[in-house]
Amino acid sequence: MDCSITALRPKERVCQDAEQIAAICREMGAPAAEQAIGRALGELTLILSGLAARVQAQDVADLGRQLRRLQRMSEHLGMVSLGHVACDARRCAETGDGTAFAAVWARLIRVAEQSLAGDRPPLDQRV
């Protein structure tokens, strides 16, 4: 009997829609768009942080509403994968499936980390 432990390291393929950012840049101009997107990313980070604190404290009241807000903001910023996983997490939370929620929550954190990583090109190179 083999008693070795295998560590799983899931990797997510994150999909982003650069056209969303390009549209914001065309509409507002690059300098104003950069400020607006920076504020939106900061707010997205705060929402994620607040969600993480609530999940850790097992405070699930209003979790669905906050996940829907995360979904909408993600989609507006072209973070397709993050929006999809936020939707999945919301569905799990609303159905009360704690096991599924725990798995999807772990995926949400992975996707959020990749989506918010600073390896994106500057706005003026995305238009």
Side-chain angles (χ1 to χ4, degrees), residues 19-91:
E19 179 54 33
Q20 290 292 110
I21 299 296
I24 293 170
C25 288
R26 283 192 301 271
E27 182 179 312
M28 301 177 79
E34 190 161 359
Q35 287 181 342
I37 292 167
R39 281 192 305 271
L41 289 172
E43 188 174 342
L44 197 70
T45 302
L46 287 174
I47 292 170
L48 281 163
S49 177
L51 280 166
R54 295 180 96 173
V55 168
Q56 187 174 16
Q58 298 180 356
D59 177 10
V60 294
D62 200 34
L63 205 57
R65 188 175 71 79
Q66 291 300 315
L67 286 163
R68 185 181 306 273
R69 185 171 171 216
L70 175 65
Q71 176 187 352
R72 282 194 310 263
M73 287 188 69
S74 299
E75 290 169 350
H76 179 71
L77 292 169
M79 297 177 172
V80 178
S81 295
L82 185 58
H84 285 267
V85 180
C87 178
D88 292 343
R90 180 182 52 81
R91 287 182 182 150

Side-chain angles (χ1 to χ4, degrees), residues 48 52 82 85 104-115:
L48 281 163
L82 185 58
V85 180
V104 175
W105 176 254
R107 182 169 186 237
L108 180 77
I109 296 302
R110 290 191 305 271
V111 169
E113 287 174 349
Q114 282 188 281
S115 296

